CSV table of all heavy atoms in Angstrom, one decimal:
chain,number,residue,atom,x,y,z
A,1,SER,N,-58.8,103.8,-138.5
A,1,SER,CA,-58.5,102.7,-137.6
A,1,SER,C,-59.6,102.5,-136.6
A,1,SER,O,-59.9,101.4,-136.2
A,1,SER,CB,-57.2,103.1,-136.8
A,1,SER,OG,-56.1,103.3,-137.7
A,2,LEU,N,-60.2,103.7,-136.1
A,2,LEU,CA,-61.3,103.5,-135.2
A,2,LEU,C,-62.5,102.8,-135.8
A,2,LEU,O,-63.2,102.0,-135.2
A,2,LEU,CB,-61.8,105.0,-134.7
A,2,LEU,CG,-60.8,105.7,-133.8
A,2,LEU,CD1,-61.2,107.1,-133.5
A,2,LEU,CD2,-60.7,104.9,-132.4
A,3,VAL,N,-62.8,103.1,-137.1
A,3,VAL,CA,-63.9,102.5,-137.8
A,3,VAL,C,-63.7,101.0,-137.9
A,3,VAL,O,-64.5,100.1,-137.6
A,3,VAL,CB,-64.1,103.1,-139.2
A,3,VAL,CG1,-65.1,102.2,-140.0
A,3,VAL,CG2,-64.7,104.5,-139.1
A,4,LEU,N,-62.4,100.6,-138.2
A,4,LEU,CA,-62.0,99.2,-138.3
A,4,LEU,C,-62.2,98.5,-137.0
A,4,LEU,O,-62.7,97.4,-136.9
A,4,LEU,CB,-60.6,99.1,-138.9
A,4,LEU,CG,-60.1,97.6,-139.0
A,4,LEU,CD1,-60.9,96.8,-140.0
A,4,LEU,CD2,-58.6,97.7,-139.5
A,5,LEU,N,-61.7,99.2,-135.9
A,5,LEU,CA,-61.8,98.6,-134.6
A,5,LEU,C,-63.2,98.4,-134.2
A,5,LEU,O,-63.6,97.3,-133.6
A,5,LEU,CB,-61.1,99.6,-133.6
A,5,LEU,CG,-61.1,99.1,-132.1
A,5,LEU,CD1,-60.4,97.8,-132.0
A,5,LEU,CD2,-60.4,100.2,-131.3
A,6,VAL,N,-64.1,99.4,-134.4
A,6,VAL,CA,-65.5,99.2,-134.1
A,6,VAL,C,-66.1,98.1,-134.9
A,6,VAL,O,-66.9,97.3,-134.3
A,6,VAL,CB,-66.3,100.6,-134.3
A,6,VAL,CG1,-67.8,100.4,-134.2
A,6,VAL,CG2,-65.8,101.6,-133.4
A,7,SER,N,-65.8,98.0,-136.2
A,7,SER,CA,-66.4,96.9,-137.0
A,7,SER,C,-66.0,95.6,-136.5
A,7,SER,O,-66.8,94.7,-136.4
A,7,SER,CB,-65.9,97.1,-138.5
A,7,SER,OG,-66.3,98.3,-139.0
A,8,VAL,N,-64.7,95.4,-136.2
A,8,VAL,CA,-64.2,94.1,-135.7
A,8,VAL,C,-64.9,93.8,-134.4
A,8,VAL,O,-65.3,92.7,-134.1
A,8,VAL,CB,-62.7,94.1,-135.6
A,8,VAL,CG1,-62.2,92.9,-134.8
A,8,VAL,CG2,-62.0,94.2,-136.9
A,9,SER,N,-65.0,94.8,-133.5
A,9,SER,CA,-65.6,94.6,-132.2
A,9,SER,C,-67.0,94.2,-132.3
A,9,SER,O,-67.5,93.3,-131.7
A,9,SER,CB,-65.4,95.9,-131.3
A,9,SER,OG,-64.1,96.2,-131.1
A,10,PHE,N,-67.7,94.9,-133.2
A,10,PHE,CA,-69.2,94.6,-133.4
A,10,PHE,C,-69.3,93.2,-134.0
A,10,PHE,O,-70.2,92.4,-133.5
A,10,PHE,CB,-69.8,95.6,-134.4
A,10,PHE,CG,-71.2,95.4,-134.7
A,10,PHE,CD1,-72.2,95.7,-133.7
A,10,PHE,CD2,-71.6,94.8,-135.9
A,10,PHE,CE1,-73.5,95.5,-134.0
A,10,PHE,CE2,-73.0,94.6,-136.1
A,10,PHE,CZ,-73.9,94.9,-135.2
A,11,SER,N,-68.5,92.8,-134.9
A,11,SER,CA,-68.6,91.4,-135.5
A,11,SER,C,-68.3,90.4,-134.5
A,11,SER,O,-69.0,89.4,-134.4
A,11,SER,CB,-67.6,91.3,-136.7
A,11,SER,OG,-67.8,92.2,-137.7
A,12,THR,N,-67.3,90.7,-133.6
A,12,THR,CA,-67.0,89.7,-132.6
A,12,THR,C,-68.1,89.5,-131.6
A,12,THR,O,-68.5,88.4,-131.2
A,12,THR,CB,-65.7,90.2,-131.8
A,12,THR,OG1,-64.6,90.3,-132.7
A,12,THR,CG2,-65.3,89.1,-130.8
A,13,VAL,N,-68.7,90.6,-131.2
A,13,VAL,CA,-69.9,90.5,-130.3
A,13,VAL,C,-71.0,89.8,-131.0
A,13,VAL,O,-71.7,88.9,-130.4
A,13,VAL,CB,-70.3,92.0,-129.9
A,13,VAL,CG1,-71.7,91.9,-129.2
A,13,VAL,CG2,-69.3,92.6,-129.1
A,14,SER,N,-71.3,90.1,-132.3
A,14,SER,CA,-72.3,89.4,-133.0
A,14,SER,C,-72.1,87.9,-133.1
A,14,SER,O,-73.0,87.1,-132.9
A,14,SER,CB,-72.5,90.0,-134.4
A,14,SER,OG,-72.8,91.3,-134.4
A,15,MET,N,-70.9,87.5,-133.4
A,15,MET,CA,-70.5,86.1,-133.5
A,15,MET,C,-70.7,85.4,-132.2
A,15,MET,O,-71.2,84.3,-132.1
A,15,MET,CB,-69.1,85.9,-134.1
A,15,MET,CG,-69.0,86.3,-135.5
A,15,MET,SD,-67.3,86.2,-136.1
A,15,MET,CE,-67.0,84.5,-136.0
A,16,GLY,N,-70.3,86.1,-131.1
A,16,GLY,CA,-70.3,85.5,-129.8
A,16,GLY,C,-71.8,85.4,-129.4
A,16,GLY,O,-72.1,84.5,-128.6
A,17,ALA,N,-72.6,86.3,-129.9
A,17,ALA,CA,-74.0,86.3,-129.5
A,17,ALA,C,-74.8,85.2,-130.2
A,17,ALA,O,-76.0,84.9,-129.9
A,17,ALA,CB,-74.7,87.6,-129.7
A,18,GLU,N,-74.3,84.6,-131.3
A,18,GLU,CA,-75.0,83.6,-132.1
A,18,GLU,C,-75.0,82.3,-131.3
A,18,GLU,O,-74.0,81.6,-131.3
A,18,GLU,CB,-74.4,83.4,-133.5
A,18,GLU,CG,-74.6,84.6,-134.4
A,18,GLU,CD,-74.0,84.4,-135.8
A,18,GLU,OE1,-73.4,83.3,-136.0
A,18,GLU,OE2,-74.1,85.3,-136.6
A,19,LYS,N,-76.1,82.0,-130.7
A,19,LYS,CA,-76.2,80.7,-130.0
A,19,LYS,C,-76.6,79.6,-130.9
A,19,LYS,O,-77.5,79.7,-131.7
A,19,LYS,CB,-77.3,80.9,-128.9
A,19,LYS,CG,-77.5,79.7,-128.0
A,19,LYS,CD,-78.6,80.0,-126.9
A,19,LYS,CE,-78.8,78.8,-126.1
A,19,LYS,NZ,-79.9,79.0,-125.1
A,20,PRO,N,-75.9,78.5,-130.8
A,20,PRO,CA,-76.2,77.3,-131.7
A,20,PRO,C,-77.7,76.9,-131.4
A,20,PRO,O,-78.1,76.9,-130.3
A,20,PRO,CB,-75.2,76.2,-131.2
A,20,PRO,CG,-74.1,77.0,-130.6
A,20,PRO,CD,-74.7,78.2,-130.0
A,21,PHE,N,-78.4,76.6,-132.5
A,21,PHE,CA,-79.8,76.3,-132.4
A,21,PHE,C,-80.1,75.1,-131.5
A,21,PHE,O,-81.2,75.0,-130.9
A,21,PHE,CB,-80.4,76.0,-133.8
A,21,PHE,CG,-80.1,74.6,-134.3
A,21,PHE,CD1,-81.0,73.6,-134.1
A,21,PHE,CD2,-79.0,74.4,-135.1
A,21,PHE,CE1,-80.7,72.3,-134.6
A,21,PHE,CE2,-78.7,73.2,-135.6
A,21,PHE,CZ,-79.5,72.1,-135.4
A,22,ALA,N,-79.2,74.2,-131.3
A,22,ALA,CA,-79.4,73.0,-130.4
A,22,ALA,C,-78.8,73.1,-129.1
A,22,ALA,O,-78.9,72.1,-128.3
A,22,ALA,CB,-78.9,71.8,-131.2
A,23,LYS,N,-78.1,74.2,-128.7
A,23,LYS,CA,-77.5,74.3,-127.4
A,23,LYS,C,-78.5,74.2,-126.3
A,23,LYS,O,-79.5,74.9,-126.2
A,23,LYS,CB,-76.7,75.6,-127.3
A,23,LYS,CG,-75.8,75.7,-126.1
A,23,LYS,CD,-75.0,77.0,-126.1
A,23,LYS,CE,-74.2,77.1,-124.8
A,23,LYS,NZ,-73.2,76.0,-124.6
A,24,GLY,N,-78.2,73.3,-125.4
A,24,GLY,CA,-79.1,73.1,-124.2
A,24,GLY,C,-80.4,72.4,-124.6
A,24,GLY,O,-81.3,72.4,-123.8
A,25,LYS,N,-80.5,72.0,-125.8
A,25,LYS,CA,-81.8,71.4,-126.3
A,25,LYS,C,-81.7,69.9,-126.5
A,25,LYS,O,-80.6,69.3,-126.4
A,25,LYS,CB,-82.2,72.0,-127.6
A,25,LYS,CG,-82.4,73.5,-127.6
A,25,LYS,CD,-83.6,74.0,-126.8
A,25,LYS,CE,-83.7,75.5,-126.7
A,25,LYS,NZ,-84.0,76.1,-128.0
């Protein structure tokens, strides 16, 4: 469960960190 929680959390952070290439451009 902990592994799954960490994986989901990491994926969520990664997705949130992906900035659209044209944002603010």
Side-chain angles (χ1 to χ4, degrees):
S1 300
L2 288 172
V3 169
L4 178 61
L5 179 61
V6 170
S7 298
V8 171
S9 299
F10 180 77
S11 299
T12 302
V13 170
S14 298
M15 291 175 63
E18 289 181 0
K19 182 180 178 181
F21 76 91
K23 185 175 179 60
K25 302 290 181 63

